[in-house]
Amino acid sequence: MSSPAPGLPRQAAAVVSAWLIVLFAKLLTGVRAIWSGTGPKAEQTLYFANHTSHGDFVLLWATLPPDLRALTRPVAGQDYWEASALRRFIGRDVFNALMIRRDGSAAPGSQAALNPVDQMTEALQAGDSLIMFPEGTRNIGEEVLLPLKSGLYHLARACPQVRLVPVWIENLKRVLPKGMLVPVPLACTVRYGAPITLAEGEDKAAFIARARAAMLDLQPEYDREEH
């Protein structure tokens, strides 16, 4: 009998870890998905969401049906997810994350700087679905939503075949407050909105404003009253 491929134990560990992460996320936060104006579909999708915590994409990923979860890659900062062997394993093997260098520097051994939008475009054109955060960085202030970067517009232009689904992740900032090491158990909701499309002739400013409005429209009423 031939010996098993060297990667099989690691693959098995990744499958088990994914199951445990989803279970832990649901037990800790009671996270639920609310789909309004759309539903989970086996179509290539770019989910764009608000970003307040390192756990954001975990919750979004956990609320996708298992068949879609397997096809969806979170866009993640390479500096954070490759800072340790455990994070590298979770980021690359469990989530199959698309690692981007947020400082725009060149990858080791490469002469060319890596453009995050180019990386995402390449992944979308290869058939992947992605989870991305158009604010470009975590929102750790009091503003409800930071200004959106132009990357979403460029992706919409480059990949018109991809569904663009706005998402609002509710309460995770309270579950993982800045500076806290132990999460606070609190119910979270991931709200998925109706897909948007880039209209013919629509300019960047108009599209970004419409995408931002689509995200903010997903906030629950009580959350809007706080701001």
Side-chain angles (χ1 to χ4, degrees), residues 21-31 59 62-64 69:
I21 288 171
V22 170
L23 179 64
F24 179 74
K26 291 183 176 180
L27 288 176
L28 177 66
T29 68
V31 65
L59 282 197
T63 58
L64 294 174
R69 197 184 301 149

Side-chain angles (χ1 to χ4, degrees), residues 20-157:
L20 289 174
I21 288 171
V22 170
L23 179 64
F24 179 74
K26 291 183 176 180
L27 288 176
L28 177 66
T29 68
V31 65
R32 62 181 181 135
I34 296 178
W35 297 81
S36 57
T38 189
K41 292 184 179 181
E43 297 178 11
Q44 190 183 15
T45 302
L46 175 64
Y47 304 94
F48 60 98
N50 59 315
H51 191 25
T52 61
S53 165
H54 286 304
D56 286 328
F57 78 67
V58 177
L59 282 197
L60 198 163
W61 189 78
T63 58
L64 294 174
D67 57 334
L68 299 187
R69 197 184 301 149
L71 303 174
T72 304
R73 305 177 66 188
V75 176
Q78 187 173 13
D79 55 329
Y80 178 82
W81 286 100
E82 294 201 342
S84 69
L86 177 60
R87 287 186 193 173
R88 279 195 300 276
F89 170 73
I90 293 173
R92 293 193 177 274
D93 294 85
V94 178
F95 295 119
N96 188 28
L98 176 63
M99 299 294 184
I100 60 170
R101 297 179 69 87
R102 292 180 288 192
D103 59 2
S105 63
S110 171
Q111 298 299 314
L114 297 174
N115 183 311
V117 174
D118 290 345
Q119 287 181 266
M120 287 185 274
T121 300
E122 185 177 336
L124 290 170
Q125 291 176 341
D128 293 328
S129 290
L130 296 178
I131 297 168
M132 61 96 71
F133 303 103
E135 293 166 281
T137 187
R138 279 190 304 142
N139 181 0
I140 57 176
E142 296 302 317
E143 192 172 355
V144 62
L145 185 66
L146 298 176
L148 305 191
K149 303 294 185 182
S150 61
L152 183 61
Y153 168 77
H154 295 300
L155 292 172
R157 283 193 62 190

Side-chain angles (χ1 to χ4, degrees), residues 199-221:
E200 185 176 354
E202 186 174 23
D203 65 21
K204 179 173 64 178
F207 175 78
I208 290 297
R210 195 157 55 82
R212 179 184 173 87
M215 296 171 70
L216 291 172
D217 284 347
L218 295 171
Q219 282 187 282
E221 288 296 331

